[in-house]
Amino acid sequence: MKAFNDRFIAQDLLQDNRLRMNMLADCLNLAGDGKLCDELLLHLTYSVQLEERLLKLCLDKGWLIGDASEQWKEDIKWARKARQMIKP
């Protein structure tokens, strides 16, 4: 159960961080103030670094696989397992 929780948390952080990076990039494109651009760029850089660390963790733990078709099979397996866990 602990591995499932760690995996879920890491993948949730990855998903949220990707949304954050997209929003920061959009804001950076629209910002006109130099100081604001610098601050947004700093936060975007941090998010990219976080993405790298999370991806490395997920790859090291075997939660993500380099082969997309194998990853798909693994994701389906985990989805079925999660569904069984919530069935009464």
Side-chain angles (χ1 to χ4, degrees):
M1 190 63 162
K2 183 175 179 357
F4 179 77
N5 287 337
D6 290 347
R7 179 182 183 162
F8 177 80
I9 292 166
Q11 290 178 336
D12 189 54
L13 283 170
L14 271 171
Q15 183 179 8
D16 288 348
N17 191 55
R18 287 181 185 142
L19 290 171
R20 175 185 161 95
M21 285 190 296
N22 285 331
M23 290 183 352
L24 285 167
D26 289 343
C27 291
L28 190 57
N29 282 332
L30 297 172
D33 180 9
K35 284 187 176 186
L36 179 58
C37 287
D38 290 344
E39 189 67 30
L40 290 168
L41 191 56
L42 180 66
H43 285 276
L44 186 57
T45 301
Y46 172 75
S47 291
V48 169
Q49 292 168 347
L50 178 60
E51 180 87 0
E52 289 173 348
R53 290 192 313 268
L54 287 169
L55 284 172
K56 183 178 180 340
L57 172 70
C58 288
L59 287 168
D60 290 348
K61 294 282 189 177
W63 298 332
L64 290 177
I65 304 166
D67 181 346
S69 63
E70 288 299 315
Q71 184 64 50
W72 175 254
K73 290 176 192 173
E74 188 68 18
D75 290 346
I76 294 297
K77 182 179 98 177
W78 277 100
R80 286 186 179 134
K81 193 176 224 180
R83 186 172 179 216
Q84 289 174 350
M85 291 172 65
I86 59 172
K87 275 187 175 179

